Amino acid sequence: MVDNSKHASSFRDPSGYIFTEEGVIKRAIFPIYFKQYEALTTSGFFDSLFINKLLIPHSEKSKTGDKIVIQPDHIPFISYPYEWSFNMYKEAALLTLKLQKYSLEKGFSLKDATAFNIAFHEGKAIFIDTLSFDFYQENSPWRAYKQFITHFLGPLVLAHYHGAQSLKLMSNFIDGIPIKMLASMLPFKTKMNPFLYSNIHLLAKFEDKHNEDYKGESKASALSKKGQLNIIQSLYDYIKKLSLKEHSEWGNYYDKTNYSTDAFVEKSAIINSWITNLNTKTLIDVGGNDGTFVRKITTDLQQALVCDIDNNAVDFNYKAIRENKESFITPFVLDVLNPSAAIGFQNKERDSFINRMKDFTPDVTLALAVIHHMSLSGNVTFEMSAQFFASFSKHLVIEFPKRNDSWVQRLLSSKVDFKDYFDWYSLENFETAYAIYFEVIEKKSIANSERVMYLLKPKDVK
Amino acid sequence: MHFLYFDPGLGAMIVQAVVAAVAGVVLFSKGLMYKIKTLLGFSKNQEEEMFDDIEIKDQDTENKQ
């Protein structure tokens, strides 16, 4: 096997590694992990988690004395913790705790608890690191405890006190928010709370005290299984009840737009007919808010990615997905003006938004009511946005609000003296710039509105 | 056997004894309050919650595909 197919993020755990073979993701397991793998398989532990849809199912492909190869189910698109909404983050944290409790009951324990072990697939969080389970050692503390705090509890508590934007910190701290910094960012009153005091402030103190013990003089104290289960249960109870303080503004978004009901219906009818004619299976809605337009699509989609800059809108979408038990929508937070970068060692562990999009290659990209924000709030020229959309789209459905649109007027007037600079924001300039990268397949104006819809196909330009 | 491929944090290993004790007290007192409230009839109807309980059901062989 060619070793350079090994996934760039799969080097920390010596139990095995992930690789790609003919476009299919597989996992190799080394003899060092054979005992655990056999025990997890034969005891029915894996099966139980598969049935409960908590761990990504896999099938065994080959088995030799020095390597076992398994193939996990395919996940079309992986979103990262810094792209999750608040409740998505909560679900990921609760899933990790659930798995640790179940593991302890069955004589296993999670050896790590990174947020990157979780993906969102078919409408819910699922654990994807099959080799994270190890044997439980009687009376030993949870090795992944600190990781759980810095990857899950920390970001969630920060989001509670400082807003969901705090979750984005994870894009810089790939191994969790540093515990000392985390403690310092929390308000003083959290020291009065026994749960937060012990799990964050005291942990930070202990870590600080022992981090210079290079000789290994201090010894980790014993912790009964009952004690560890108490920690897990109290973390679960606390996180389950955690909410955001900030008030969401997405809610009345569609009331604020200047869409009459008729125009709204017409817009979704146009989208629907284009989507159907293109026989669309996969799409991305850039700036999809709470998924309203994707839900109006009548064709059966396999996978719809719906992203928005507003964590609350994504969260509302996620709640709707859970309520309606929808499995084809994957929501995530995306700022088109600053999409997630590639991070980690050699900038290869976690892929950039653009690269993941190129792999996903959606049949259709929807950019509804986005262009005026990109152009007027972000100062992104039409040519730049055209180039951006052309880089990953097979087809682009884009809505252009003309200069007289009230939302455009609002954005323009907020520019005050700088307003004149945006004289270039016109339908003619938009069409000219987009013609460099796209050919127009269809163009339709929405009656009783200042908006025009385009169906575009990228040309072969680089 | 443990694979020590990341530092679990020595302080974090030691502090867990204290965290567990605090968690024990918190869980016990919450359980007690719940019992008292139920006895006195204060317990409100459980609202529909977004996330379920921590328990994972064991594999049910009969339901297995």
Side-chain angles (χ1 to χ4, degrees), chain A residues 126-137:
Chain A
I126 193 154
F127 199 78
I128 52 172
D129 190 5
T130 315
L131 311 191
S132 268
F133 303 93
D134 204 346
F135 294 121
Y136 170 67
Q137 308 278 311

Side-chain angles (χ1 to χ4, degrees), chain A residues 98 101-102 112 207 236, chain B residues 5 12 16 50 52 55 58:
Chain A
K98 248 185 200 186
K101 178 164 191 245
Y102 188 70
D112 52 21
E207 276 294 286
Y236 195 94
Chain B
Y5 62 90
Q16 286 183 58
M50 190 163 171
D52 56 4
E55 302 301 332
D58 259 322

Side-chain angles (χ1 to χ4, degrees), chain A residues 136-154:
Chain A
Y136 170 67
Q137 308 278 311
E138 210 54 51
N139 290 326
S140 65
W142 187 20
R143 283 179 43 80
Y145 170 73
K146 183 185 164 194
Q147 217 176 21
F148 183 86
I149 302 298
T150 58
H151 278 253
F152 290 108
L153 182 68

